[in-house]
Amino acid sequence: ANRSVDDAVNMRLHFILQHLDKTGTYVGILFVDFSSAFNTIIPTLLQSKLTQLSVLSSICQWITSFLTDRQQLVGLGKFTSSSHNTSTGAPQGCVLSTLLFINNCTSKDPSVKLLKFADDTTVIGLIKDGDESPYRQEVKEIAVWCSHNNLELNTLKTVEMIVDFRKNPPALPPLTIMTSSVTTVETFRFLGTTITQNLKWDNHIDLIVKKA
């Protein structure tokens, strides 16, 4: 279905606000950053995923052929480099590239929402009574999934935001990915929208006004 960045932001906020209406709840949001996501697609792995999605065999073979042994070169002014064959990634600017970047966007636990918009992936932990285990387990599984699918998590740019409206929230243990502690932020610019941990729009409105 055709979805805009506004739809992507609103969907995430809907899950968060709906959960926070319940007592004893808070939310952990992990904004995942992949390193050169579209350049990591491996045609054989992609074909396997497309087959699992019941895509016709002929289309799978066509896409694999399209991505395999592509010639690339660099042009600068009147100079052109020699060509190089590549079978990894998808062509930049190609309308298929976003569609071919397929993530397994389902979580094993209903208290965790794994959502993506192109390569912008968000893990939302809907936490109740302090039980973060499903959320933290999902984060671990994403790291493992990346290692199996030629993707690299950029742990320096992957950040976490905690949304907690309880009166006296306790200090929470840091989230880790592959032994690296994830930075916790109070604000994050997601798909052009500034999201704050108090879920107010002041920062976003101020930024829009400054650009006017």
Side-chain angles (χ1 to χ4, degrees):
N2 293 324
R3 297 289 183 181
S4 69
V5 292
D6 292 333
D7 292 323
V9 172
N10 290 335
M11 181 182 295
R12 285 152 179 78
L13 291 176
H14 170 73
F15 285 129
I16 293 167
L17 291 169
Q18 188 178 52
H19 179 68
L20 292 173
D21 277 341
K22 306 168 188 175
T23 58
T25 60
Y26 61 98
V27 175
I29 312 168
L30 185 71
F31 297 99
V32 180
D33 186 274
F34 296 111
S35 298
S36 302
F38 294 120
N39 293 330
T40 62
I41 296 173
I42 297 178
T44 52
L45 290 176
L46 176 64
Q47 182 170 348
S48 175
K49 294 178 185 179
L50 293 173
T51 301
Q52 292 173 13
L53 293 172
S54 301
V55 177
L56 291 175
S57 175
S58 57
I59 295 178
C60 292
Q61 292 173 8
W62 180 86
I63 291 174
T64 300
S65 176
F66 171 66
L67 296 177
T68 304
D69 288 331
R70 304 187 323 277
Q71 284 196 341
Q72 292 185 336
L73 51 83
V74 177
L76 180 61
K78 63 180 181 179
F79 300 100
T80 303
S81 71
S82 57
S83 62
H84 174 75
N85 286 4
T86 181
S87 296
T88 303
Q92 291 190 5
C94 173
V95 294
L96 278 176
S97 295
T98 301
L99 294 175
L100 296 179
F101 182 73
I102 295 176
N103 275 327
N104 182 10
C105 289
T106 58
S107 171
K108 296 178 181 178
D109 194 286
S111 69
V112 182
K113 303 297 181 183
L114 184 55
L115 308 170
K116 79 176 181 71
F117 186 88
D119 62 334
D120 289 289
T121 301
T122 313
V123 184
I124 301 176
L126 306 176
I127 302 160
K128 183 175 176 60
D129 298 328
D131 183 11
E132 294 189 357
S133 52
Y135 170 56
R136 291 176 178 268
Q137 181 61 33
E138 191 66 41
V139 173
K140 288 181 181 179
E141 291 185 4
I142 286 178
V144 173
W145 185 89
C146 286
S147 66
H148 292 165
N149 288 272
N150 198 39
L151 274 170
E152 182 181 351
L153 271 175
N154 189 336
T155 54
L156 295 178
K157 291 185 178 181
T158 295
V159 298
E160 182 188 35
M161 179 184 293
I162 301 296
V163 182
D164 192 346
F165 294 158
R166 294 176 297 173
K167 288 185 178 180
N168 298 300
L172 300 174
L175 189 67
T176 59
I177 297 177
M178 299 178 294
T179 71
S180 298
S181 295
V182 177
T183 302
T184 302
V185 296
E186 295 182 359
T187 65
F188 185 78
R189 191 160 176 79
F190 177 71
L191 297 176
T193 299
T194 302
I195 298 176
T196 62
Q197 62 182 172
N198 61 10
L199 299 184
K200 294 185 178 180
W201 296 104
D202 304 56
N203 289 27
H204 183 68
I205 292 171
D206 289 343
L207 185 62
I208 297 298
V209 170
K210 288 179 181 178
K211 290 183 176 181

